[in-house]
Amino acid sequence: MSTVGRNEPCPCGSGKKYKKCCEKANGVNIDSMVNQELEVLQAQLYDFIATAQDPMMEEAYHEYLKKMDLMKADPDIYEMAFVSWYGATQKDEEGVRLIDRFIDKTVGTVTRPQTAAILESWKELRVTAGTVEKMDDTTLHVEEVITGDKLVVKERFGKLEENSFFLALLLPNGEEYLPFAQYFIYPSIEKAAMELVKIRFEQGEFENLQDYLADQYMMLADVGFVLYNAEKKKSGKKSAVAEGEIEAPEEQEESSEQDGTIEGVEIWKTPEYAEALTALQTFLSEKGEDKAESALLVAVLEKYFYSERPTIRNPKIYSGALVDMAKNIDEISIRHVQKELAEYFDVSANSISRRSKQIWESYQDTVYELLNN
């Protein structure tokens, strides 16, 4: 607790002398008072997002729920994770996040300047993933993946294992951070999770780590549970993930880890990959294309995803690209013009063309290998 003279300026930033301001609070630590106010503001922020009348958020809620392998088993964890992530990272039709709307609406009502300044800084929310290096009951020291940045995160964590994987939305608090709503700490999977993030980021289409994590946060949270459950069953551990534990469904318990499959879930096959493959199959079926030729295109796309592991924003670009790529294969009869594909998959013809050329240049040998089998 800092010592302040009665006639010195109050550390809360009000401009008044300490004796005429916060000394009246019976000697309460100013930092403690600010932290209490920030806790209230966090709760208000979450409620503001959760009760927002946003049709886009409602639609996204159900879309992402379908993509969850394990988080859909616990609606409470999924809902808190989705609400906090959506409000903190996703922009509405006017290009504004719900967190920005809350701050602009609320900051003028906050009387303590120190608290108001921290609230304003929440617009610079940070999405992070990394390794927990060391901790006490209220502090995590996190080394962020890719950047290697060292972050100090304050919260009532209790006793947790070091060398765990940490995934969270972080609100700035001076030189430290506060985790917003649902955060995730997965024991025992640090190496696997860090490697997964690195591979998907490096092979993806994102310019920086923040953009990647903001876009893929929900997917990474779900995959973290898959990895954690696999490790727990393998080692017999019973330690829990912070903020709740999600068990793998019973029908997955007998599955083994092989060929990229852990506990019955193909880790390499993200929801985006599955969506692209399904959209490709649906198109070929609707168009009445030859089943064997259709299976070849699907196999090529699956092989491409398995070996390259791209991070993709619009899966249907890849679906259209594989159909477009078929024009290079004399042995099959599937032919569709890019304009038709663009209209069907609701993507640009240029995107389909670029991706088609890229896959063909890299995978034509694979195509002929599959043709000859």
Side-chain angles (χ1 to χ4, degrees), residues 174-190:
E175 296 182 356
E176 301 173 341
Y177 291 92
L178 305 170
F180 176 43
Q182 180 73 62
Y183 59 87
F184 300 95
I185 300 177
Y186 307 92
S188 308
I189 69 162
E190 170 256 329

Side-chain angles (χ1 to χ4, degrees), residues 40-236:
V40 172
L41 287 167
Q42 279 200 61
Q44 291 174 345
L45 170 58
Y46 182 86
D47 290 343
F48 179 83
I49 298 169
T51 58
Q53 299 299 311
D54 185 343
M56 292 174 58
M57 182 169 69
E58 181 71 19
E59 181 179 353
Y61 178 92
H62 296 290
E63 287 181 1
Y64 275 86
L65 182 59
K66 293 176 184 177
K67 298 176 182 179
M68 298 293 103
D69 284 313
L70 289 185
M71 264 207 292
K72 61 187 175 186
D74 193 318
D76 291 337
I77 289 180
Y78 171 75
E79 181 172 342
M80 183 170 286
F82 175 86
V83 168
S84 53
W85 164 76
Y86 188 94
T89 65
Q90 304 301 295
K91 296 180 179 179
D92 60 20
E93 294 177 344
E94 297 178 4
V96 182
R97 301 173 303 174
L98 285 168
I99 188 174
D100 298 322
R101 295 192 182 281
F102 172 81
I103 293 170
D104 291 342
K105 173 185 175 184
T106 308
V107 70
T109 68
V110 178
T111 58
R112 196 181 305 278
Q114 185 177 342
T115 305
I118 294 173
L119 174 61
E120 187 71 37
S121 75
W122 287 1
K123 289 184 177 181
E124 302 303 319
L125 174 139
R126 181 172 188 155
V127 190
T128 195
T131 304
V132 177
E133 290 191 310
K134 59 181 178 178
M135 70 199 80
D136 55 35
D137 286 348
T138 61
T139 308
L140 290 186
H141 293 257
V142 178
E143 181 175 355
E144 191 172 65
V145 66
I146 309 293
T147 68
D149 290 350
K150 305 296 180 66
L151 311 177
V152 177
V153 185
K154 304 292 285 188
E155 174 69 326
R156 300 185 188 93
F157 293 107
K159 185 178 180 180
L160 298 171
E161 297 181 26
E162 295 187 16
N163 300 317
S164 295
F165 181 65
F166 181 68
L167 180 68
L169 306 162
L170 299 180
L171 300 170
N173 183 17
E175 296 182 356
E176 301 173 341
Y177 291 92
L178 305 170
F180 176 43
Q182 180 73 62
Y183 59 87
F184 300 95
I185 300 177
Y186 307 92
S188 308
I189 69 162
E190 170 256 329
K191 291 182 180 179
M194 295 282 277
E195 187 64 24
L196 180 142
V197 173
K198 289 178 183 177
I199 291 173
R200 291 190 179 179
F201 171 67
E202 291 169 358
Q203 297 183 348
E205 303 172 354
F206 297 89
E207 294 184 1
N208 58 65
L209 181 64
Q210 276 299 290
D211 288 345
Y212 169 74
L213 292 176
D215 187 87
Q216 295 292 304
Y217 182 81
M218 292 299 295
M219 300 298 104
L220 290 173
D222 194 55
V223 169
F225 278 116
V226 176
L227 292 173
Y228 169 68
N229 273 281
E231 178 63 27
K232 188 176 67 172
K233 286 188 172 65
K234 185 169 67 174
S235 63

Side-chain angles (χ1 to χ4, degrees), residues 233-267:
K233 286 188 172 65
K234 185 169 67 174
S235 63
K237 290 184 177 181
K238 295 184 179 180
S239 54
V241 177
E243 294 293 310
E245 180 176 318
I246 296 178
E247 297 287 349
E250 290 184 4
E251 61 267 21
Q252 295 178 357
E253 289 183 357
E254 300 301 321
S255 303
S256 62
E257 179 177 351
Q258 58 184 2
D259 299 328
T261 300
I262 298 180
E263 300 304 327
V265 179
E266 292 178 294
I267 297 302

